[in-house]
Amino acid sequence: MDTHKKVAHTPNGQQTPSPEAVDVPVASPEGHPIEQPGRQEQPVEIEGTPAGQIVVAPPATLPVPTRQRLVWLRTLLKNPKALVGIAIVVFFILVAVLAPVIAPGDPTEFVDAPNLPPSAAHLFGTEGQGKDVFRQTVWGAQISLLIGFATGLLITIVSTVIGMTAGYFRGRVDDLLTLLTNLFLVIPGLPLLIILSAFLSPGTGTIIGTLAFTGWAFGARVKRSQTLSLREKDFVAAAKVSGESGFRIIFSEIMPNMISIIMGSFISSTTYAIGASTALAFIGLGNVSEVTWGTNLYWAQNGGAILQGAWWTFVPSGLCVALVAFGLSFINYALDEVTNPRLRAEKELNRTLKGTAFKKTKTRATPVLRQSQPK
Amino acid sequence: MRYILRRLGFYLVALWAAITLDFFLPRLLPGDPAATILGTGGQLDPSQIQAVKEALGLSDQPLILQYFTYLTHVVRGDFGISFSNFPVPVISVILTGLWWTLLLGGSSVIISFIIGNLVGIFGSWRRGGAVDSFVPPLLVFIGAFPPFFLGLCAVYLLGFQLHWFPTRHAYEDTLTPGFDPAFFGSVIQHMLLPVLVLVLTQLGGWALGMRNTMVAILAEDYITMAEAKGLTQNRIMFRYAARNAMLPSITAFGIVLGFVLSGQLLIEQIFSYPGLGFLLISSVQKLDYPLMQGLFLMITFAVLVINFIVDIIYTRLDPRVRAG
Amino acid sequence: MSQSQIKIARQVQNETLLDVRDLRVEYLSPKGPVRAVDGVSFSIAPGEVLGLAGESGSGKSTIAHALLRVLRPPALITGGEVRFKGKDVLSLAEHELEAFRWQDISMVFQSAMNSLNPVMKVGDQIADVLVKHKKISKKEAWQRAGELFDIVNIDKKRLDAYPHELSGGMRQRAVIAIALALNPPMMIMDEPTTALDVVVQKEIMQQIEELKEKMGFSILFITHDMSLMVEFSNRIAIMYAGEIVEMAPAREIFENPLHPYTKGLISSFPPLVGPKHKMTGIPGSPPNMAEPPTGCRFHPRCTMCQPVEKVVNPTLQEVLPGHWLAYHEGMPGV
Ligand SMILES: Nc1ncnc2c1ncn2[C@@H]1O[C@H](COP(=O)(O)OP(=O)(O)OP(=O)(O)O)[C@@H](O)[C@H]1O
Ligand SMILES: [Mg+2]
């Protein structure tokens, strides 16, 4: 083989969607070449390549400026599904904050006869002990949401630290953390949660702690695999060469590229926490003297609401949990639509085809849509 | 084979971890665990007290010996005596519930797995169709309902108001279990509503997961090649795309199983369905600590065994794993 | 046009197997479409090998996929005509398209390594195309698959293997065997050997050459390897930023390149004969196809650029017999 000099003749930093870039738009999301400051403009000489071969420069990945890195966020805020989700969640946060204004009075006060159906005096009726269901529902938002968001935050922190540490440092550390993660994934969560709560002394802190203890593993796994693929990128290598420490690279180079994943994980952990804490409270493992949606359901069930036909005692609280969970899941659903290049591609095509003959195409053959008559 | 052995090793470690966790559980109780636990036991005679202490690892020996005594008891399936079913051993109580849980869980997982995956497959294939644009958000909506709340609503509406379904127990109380059509009919009748609720809550997860994997698989080069080969849509959709998209679904099975089970525990409670979940929750409410611990271990054990079976199926489906 | 005129036009077309006119393909994006193929025309005669060269991202694979209509979303064919033996490929209905694919044009994909289904036996992947198009039994199909493996020099026993059990070279041959299965009049080869080491590469190319002599199919040949391209093609088309800028017989392109881009491209390769000298490349990088430069797309990188090129995009014209060029009045060296 001759070894004379060759020219790298296509120094373009083009990025086409590659499998490992599925979740995080490291490149600009449209797959456009990204302007790369200080890019080599002169022919580059490379030695020892086979004769007559165009040397294709591997697509370089430079750190993407923050503004571009957050393009998905702007797209997300324009997505109707995301907006619906955000509106629902914000609504319930407002309800929680404004509870004293919306439903003034003590939610644990006995106001009237038990099991009265909804009326003008009691919007949602009264429950088995004669407490006002509307007050209980509105005030219940406070602790329910508090537990949800606090646990979501805790889980996100734990899973991010464990996942990224495992993914970045690899080797023995990774083996150990991955084993731990897999153990927590395979040991069924709710039974563990139930018996932990049964053995520990009850309280909001215990609930948040046990929920986080049983709920961190899934997020850690996702973040580990993302870190694994990001750590192979050029900008991480560059940071390593310039002697930055491991944790610095993790936090200042890798983490900014994982914001969408971390956000998604926060949302799903919060959803999980709200659902699971309600379930715990429902079976009597919460702090039954507090007013939460879960304890409302517990009292309704204990008071024989179903036998008495008092649907209004359990429907409002359950519906609130479902709506908050729906709002959060819908944000995540939209997040997926926005950051998954393939889903986005499908969507883009559908939008263009809307109103054309291809609107309802059942085939996957490339559609032909002549915009102008061929010459 | 290597893969199977590695998985088996992992499950053994997981089982050991669960057993050890179980050993330390009573020590989380405030105060003297032995006193607290036995305090709930009431009618025990001294030899029974000793037996329960040993089975729970709460004898007066040093910690390490307690641990080994406990391990030998666990291996023998001796979890002590259930206080709330005095003097029945924990293991017999558990075994009565195990089959009902497997029946309920098995049918709902199989039904939702099939329907959910089909929805996912068709949704990803027909771009712009109703299955793709309208169904996923609907599934997200249904999936947002806590299973037990959906269960409550179903019991109230379809059971108490409309009387379409029986609302409690696994079969008519007047029947005795046996191989006769009346009994089986009653079992199926009692399963319908809880299975319906469970399927509804699980459907979205399978469908959305499958849809996303399908969308990723449909972008693979071998799908493009299959299309270029002029194969029929059905063959590409099922033999090439769905067949491969199933693989991640199956690997995710273990994790999904955990979620499914979580939903099922409370559903059993709401329908008074005599499975492990119902037993677990009533043992918690009755402070029957030995039963709680035994149930946790048995549920974990069942999950691990099912995971292992799924792993074996997986090696049948993916030749890359089979090779090692 | 009268009926008889159409008939005459058809007869002329009979000389060409594939005729592509003004083909346009866009990738949609929220920021507006990326025009990856922008008015490309070429034709291929029976038995001819047309080489398609150009930098990475110039749209070569996009053309190849468009011919079979297997582009992925968000791709959309927005104009032009593709005729194969007079058949209007872009208007084929689903079932016609199924019959057209592989029977008329088969393809070896750029990523041959990934174009086999990992969980299906290689034999099944050959057999299914035979079963579909030839309507033969599975058993007969496997027999025929064995013959195909003979042709591409793989042991028949390997039909039972899964793709991951084959070496890179074997997988490549298996993919070529699949492409040969229906004995099609035309084959697209999108960088059929790039992932392989040089020795295997040469071997496989020789084999393709022999098969082509024997079976007489046409090839649309896409590669980065210019020396391979010259050796192998009858004619060569040079692409830049979604357009063909020059198209001529292979020797002609090498000996008398006219377009500045072609010149740059060719000077970046070692000469086939004669002394080896240091080569110059083309400075700069290809344009962003979402917002291509006005006028001639190459002008920002062109060393011989004239003012008019910044405004008017030259069209492809036959400047010498058989030599087509995106040409401007007063272009230097023409
Ligand atoms: N899914 C996509 N979305 C947006 N743009 C795309 C997509 N796929 C390809 N492109 C763009 O289309 C153009 C042509 O791509 P194509 O793959 O046809 O190039 P090519 O000439 O085959 O390159 P190579 O030599 O690297 O194979 C490129 O500029 C690319 O960025
Ligand atoms: Mg290509």
Side-chain angles (χ1 to χ4, degrees):
Chain A
M1 211 62 264
D2 51 357
T3 57
H4 60 266
K5 308 245 162 133
K6 280 295 125 37
V7 168
H9 134 262
T10 48
N12 68 331
Q14 203 133 261
Q15 282 254 328
T16 37
S18 61
E20 73 273 17
V22 167
D23 297 317
V24 178
V26 175
S28 86
E30 283 74 41
H32 295 157
I34 293 163
E35 293 301 329
Q36 294 175 352
R39 203 57 235 191
Q40 181 71 274
E41 291 284 293
Q42 297 304 310
V44 187
E45 292 183 5
I46 294 174
E47 284 183 70
T49 43
Q53 186 102 24
I54 296 181
V55 179
V56 184
T61 24
L62 296 179
V64 181
T66 318
R67 199 172 46 78
Q68 256 170 341
R69 221 153 35 195
L70 293 180
V71 168
W72 61 267
L73 195 59
R74 232 180 308 141
T75 326
L76 182 71
L77 292 178
K78 282 191 222 134
N79 184 305
K81 295 194 183 84
L83 291 180
V84 170
I86 292 171
I88 294 176
V89 175
V90 168
F91 170 78
F92 280 100
I93 292 176
L94 285 179
V95 167
V97 173
L98 299 178
V101 183
I102 300 173
D106 182 359
T108 55
E109 189 188 341
F110 303 97
V111 290
D112 213 324
N115 285 334
L116 290 179
S119 65
H122 307 289
L123 271 183
F124 291 175
T126 59
E127 45 88 271
Q129 296 174 304
K131 296 174 189 166
D132 185 275
V133 178
F134 182 69
R135 277 192 211 169
Q136 289 199 312
T137 312
V138 170
W139 286 85
Q142 289 187 339
I143 295 176
S144 295
L145 292 186
L146 180 76
I147 291 178
F149 284 109
T151 314
L153 194 65
L154 189 59
I155 290 181
T156 308
I157 292 171
V158 172
S159 63
T160 306
V161 169
I162 292 184
M164 291 185 66
T165 309
Y168 185 79
F169 290 106
R170 309 261 283 268
R172 197 83 44 85
V173 180
D174 184 18
D175 291 344
L176 201 73
L177 290 178
T178 304
L179 177 67
L180 199 66
T181 310
N182 287 341
L183 285 180
F184 272 91
L185 277 176
V186 81
I187 293 178
L190 193 69
L192 180 58
L193 193 59
I194 288 177
I195 63 165
L196 276 179
S197 315
F199 279 93
L200 288 166
S201 45
T204 308
T206 310
I207 291 176
I208 293 177
T210 44
L211 284 173
F213 182 74
T214 53
W216 59 271
F218 190 70
R221 183 154 116 159
V222 174
K223 284 165 203 147
R224 171 182 171 272
S225 66
Q226 194 59 37
T227 309
L228 271 180
S229 75
L230 279 172
R231 82 189 288 283
E232 303 304 327
K233 304 277 179 198
D234 290 355
F235 62 84
V236 175
K240 247 184 264 180
V241 170
S242 67
E244 288 186 28
S245 75
F247 279 105
R248 220 191 120 71
I249 295 178
I250 290 183
F251 287 110
S252 66
E253 307 287 342
I254 296 184
M255 199 148 108
N257 284 301
M258 288 182 42
I259 300 287
S260 67
I261 284 199
I262 293 176
M263 183 175 136
S265 141
F266 171 70
I267 294 174
S268 52
S269 315
T270 305
T271 317
Y272 154 79
I274 291 178
S277 64
T278 310
L280 278 186
F282 175 68
I283 56 180
L285 287 174
N287 188 344
V288 288
S289 59
E290 269 170 355
V291 177
T292 70
W293 291 329
T295 48
N296 292 346
L297 289 167
Y298 168 75
W299 289 117
Q301 168 86 340
N302 262 22
I306 287 184
L307 288 172
Q308 317 242 356
W311 54 268
W312 56 89
T313 57
F314 64 87
V315 169
S317 287
L319 216 50
C320 286
V321 176
L323 281 175
V324 173
F326 170 66
L328 289 168
S329 317
F330 226 39
I331 300 176
N332 247 0
Y333 184 79
L335 188 65
D336 196 30
E337 261 184 9
V338 168
T339 54
N340 183 331
R342 290 180 186 121
L343 287 180
R344 212 174 43 215
E346 298 265 356
K347 231 183 133 163
E348 200 62 45
L349 190 59
N350 288 341
R351 197 162 54 211
T352 307
L353 294 179
K354 211 174 242 171
T356 71
F358 278 94
K359 192 177 60 181
K360 279 199 180 142
T361 173
K362 282 177 190 154
T363 91
R364 298 193 59 86
T366 314
V368 181
L369 194 67
R370 292 207 170 80
Q371 284 162 352
S372 56
Q373 284 304 306
K375 290 166 213 161
Chain B
M1 209 48 220
R2 275 244 302 287
Y3 172 78
I4 288 291
L5 287 178
R6 225 178 38 234
R7 296 306 294 168
L8 184 61
F10 168 71
Y11 293 126
L12 288 176
V13 172
L15 188 61
W16 168 78
I19 291 173
T20 307
L21 194 68
D22 213 39
F23 171 73
F24 283 106
L25 271 176
R27 283 151 233 275
L28 294 175
L29 282 172
D32 176 10
T36 313
I37 289 178
L38 295 173
T40 61
Q43 330 96 306
L44 299 173
D45 64 41
S47 72
Q48 282 170 330
I49 289 182
Q50 185 55 28
V52 169
K53 274 183 159 181
E54 274 183 16
L56 299 186
L58 289 173
S59 54
D60 309 318
Q61 297 162 311
L63 194 65
I64 186 80
L65 284 180
Q66 287 181 4
Y67 183 60
F68 280 108
T69 322
Y70 162 79
L71 277 186
T72 50
H73 280 267
V74 166
V75 170
R76 273 190 269 136
D78 174 7
F79 304 110
I81 292 167
S82 165
F83 299 160
S84 56
N85 299 278
F86 191 83
V88 183
V90 166
I91 187 74
S92 337
V93 179
I94 291 176
L95 288 179
T96 60
L98 184 61
W99 305 113
W100 292 118
T101 291
L102 289 178
L103 179 68
L104 198 59
S107 8
S108 64
V109 166
I110 289 169
I111 294 175
S112 58
F113 183 86
I114 293 173
I115 300 181
N117 279 335
L118 282 176
V119 170
I121 292 168
F122 284 105
S124 64
W125 190 266
R126 298 205 167 173
R127 70 170 67 111
V131 188
D132 192 32
S133 44
F134 172 67
V135 174
L138 184 70
L139 290 176
V140 173
F141 182 70
I142 297 173
F145 281 79
F148 69 90
F149 177 60
L150 218 51
L152 277 180
C153 295
V155 166
Y156 176 72
L157 203 67
L158 304 179
F160 278 89
Q161 295 298 313
L162 299 172
H163 300 287
W164 287 357
F165 299 98
T167 55
R168 37 193 307 118
H169 302 318
Y171 51 90
E172 210 55 57
D173 297 336
T174 51
L175 294 169
T176 39
F179 281 96
D180 66 288
F183 176 69
F184 282 116
S186 175
V187 166
I188 289 174
Q189 204 189 9
H190 282 74
M191 268 171 67
L192 286 175
L193 200 52
V195 167
L196 176 75
V197 171
L198 285 171
V199 166
L200 274 182
T201 56
Q202 294 163 23
L203 208 55
W206 290 119
L208 296 179
M210 186 62 176
R211 168 169 158 275
N212 279 6
T213 328
M214 277 291 282
V215 169
I217 297 261
L218 287 175
E220 292 280 348
D221 295 322
Y222 56 82
I223 299 294
T224 309
M225 169 122 166
E227 284 179 353
K229 276 157 82 176
L231 302 178
T232 57
Q233 301 267 320
N234 274 342
R235 182 156 175 93
I236 302 171
M237 178 160 51
F238 288 107
R239 187 71 176 88
Y240 279 75
R243 165 75 165 67
N244 295 37
M246 293 282 277
L247 297 177
S249 280
I250 293 174
T251 14
F253 205 87
I255 300 165
V256 174
L257 203 63
F259 286 113
V260 168
L261 198 82
S262 304
Q264 187 178 336
L265 296 184
L266 278 91
I267 292 293
E268 287 180 6
Q269 152 82 0
I270 284 166
F271 286 89
S272 305
Y273 201 88
L276 298 181
F278 177 73
L279 289 174
L280 179 65
I281 293 167
S282 51
S283 72
V284 166
Q285 284 163 351
K286 291 173 188 155
L287 295 177
D288 186 347
Y289 290 102
L291 186 56
M292 270 186 245
Q293 284 179 266
L295 278 165
F296 171 66
L297 269 192
M298 186 48 97
I299 291 174
T300 308
F301 184 67
V303 166
L304 295 180
V305 170
I306 294 171
N307 266 300
F308 187 56
I309 294 172
V310 170
D311 280 342
I312 292 174
I313 296 174
Y314 186 77
T315 59
R316 294 279 100 218
L317 294 177
D318 192 340
R320 289 165 297 184
V321 169
R322 213 180 301 158
Chain C
M1 225 194 265
S2 74
Q3 282 297 327
S4 64
Q5 270 174 315
I6 292 174
K7 230 179 222 163
I8 292 168
R10 281 276 152 76
Q11 266 159 16
V12 174
Q13 274 183 357
N14 274 352
E15 306 240 338
T16 66
L17 186 65
L18 174 76
D19 192 30
V20 176
R21 295 234 163 271
D22 198 32
L23 182 66
R24 290 165 196 277
V25 181
E26 291 178 1
Y27 290 99
L28 304 168
S29 86
K31 287 191 184 160
V34 177
R35 265 168 275 149
V37 175
D38 201 359
V40 161
S41 304
F42 62 88
S43 60
I44 296 180
E48 188 188 27
V49 179
L50 176 70
L52 196 56
E55 282 169 307
S56 184
S58 54
K60 306 180 297 291
S61 301
T62 306
I63 292 182
H65 286 72
L67 295 183
L68 287 166
R69 293 189 47 199
V70 290
L71 284 161
R72 295 264 86 97
L76 183 61
I77 300 175
T78 53
E81 228 183 329
V82 175
R83 287 194 175 271
F84 188 88
K85 288 182 173 167
K87 217 182 299 179
D88 181 0
V89 175
L90 297 189
S91 337
L92 292 182
E94 181 63 24
H95 63 282
E96 295 167 322
L97 200 56
E98 266 175 27
F100 162 76
R101 288 171 173 171
W102 224 254
Q103 236 167 16
D104 283 333
I105 303 183
S106 69
M107 178 160 172
V108 176
F109 285 86
Q110 179 164 7
S111 49
M113 293 301 170
N114 305 326
S115 46
L116 290 172
N117 185 345
V119 300
M120 231 171 128
K121 285 179 183 169
V122 195
D124 278 326
Q125 299 188 52
I126 305 183
D128 66 359
V129 78
L130 289 161
V131 170
K132 164 73 209 289
H133 292 281
K134 292 251 170 2
K135 313 262 181 298
I136 55 177
S137 74
K138 201 174 160 190
K139 208 174 147 210
E140 287 168 303
W142 269 75
Q143 199 145 17
R144 172 89 181 105
E147 292 164 26
L148 286 163
F149 261 33
D150 276 344
I151 294 178
V152 295
N153 281 339
I154 314 180
D155 186 352
K156 266 182 205 165
K157 284 185 205 126
R158 307 312 300 264
L159 282 174
D160 264 320
Y162 288 94
H164 71 273
E165 295 165 346
L166 301 178
S167 73
M170 276 154 107
R171 246 179 285 179
Q172 195 70 37
R173 283 170 215 267
V175 168
I176 292 171
I178 300 178
L180 292 171
L182 303 176
N183 206 351
M186 178 174 162
M187 238 193 236
I188 301 169
M189 303 205 145
D190 191 353
E191 313 197 16
T193 57
T194 11
L196 303 175
D197 70 63
V198 189
V199 181
V200 183
Q201 197 175 342
K202 280 262 134 61
E203 241 173 65
I204 289 186
M205 285 317 296
Q206 253 154 32
Q207 218 165 32
I208 295 176
E209 181 92 61
E210 282 163 26
L211 288 167
K212 186 187 78 92
E213 292 307 320
K214 209 160 60 192
M215 304 183 175
F217 46 80
S218 310
I219 299 180
L220 176 62
F221 184 54
I222 301 172
T223 181
H224 275 131
D225 189 333
M226 283 301 267
S227 56
L228 200 63
M229 172 149 288
V230 176
E231 206 176 306
F232 200 62
S233 319
N234 304 110
R235 280 189 305 142
I236 293 178
I238 307 289
M239 277 196 87
Y240 184 77
E243 296 175 327
I244 292 183
V245 292
E246 187 166 5
M247 181 159 63
R251 284 265 142 207
E252 170 90 3
I253 282 270
F254 253 68
E255 282 158 14
N256 184 23
L258 294 176
H259 197 279
Y261 176 67
T262 314
K263 287 177 184 166
L265 198 60
I266 288 183
S267 69
S268 51
F269 292 97
L272 294 178
V273 287
K276 292 171 176 171
H277 61 86
K278 199 163 180 178
M279 290 157 302
T280 55
I282 307 164
S285 43
N288 178 349
M289 308 273 278
E291 303 153 46
T294 55
C296 170
R297 298 216 169 135
F298 187 57
H299 86 254
R301 294 168 78 189
C302 187
T303 47
M304 311 172 218
C305 179
Q306 296 170 311
V308 61
E309 316 247 356
K310 293 185 179 151
V311 193
V312 186
N313 196 11
T315 49
L316 204 62
Q317 300 169 31
E318 193 167 13
V319 290
L320 296 168
H323 195 141
W324 295 72
L325 177 69
Y327 172 72
H328 258 302
E329 204 62 56
M331 204 160 158
V334 181

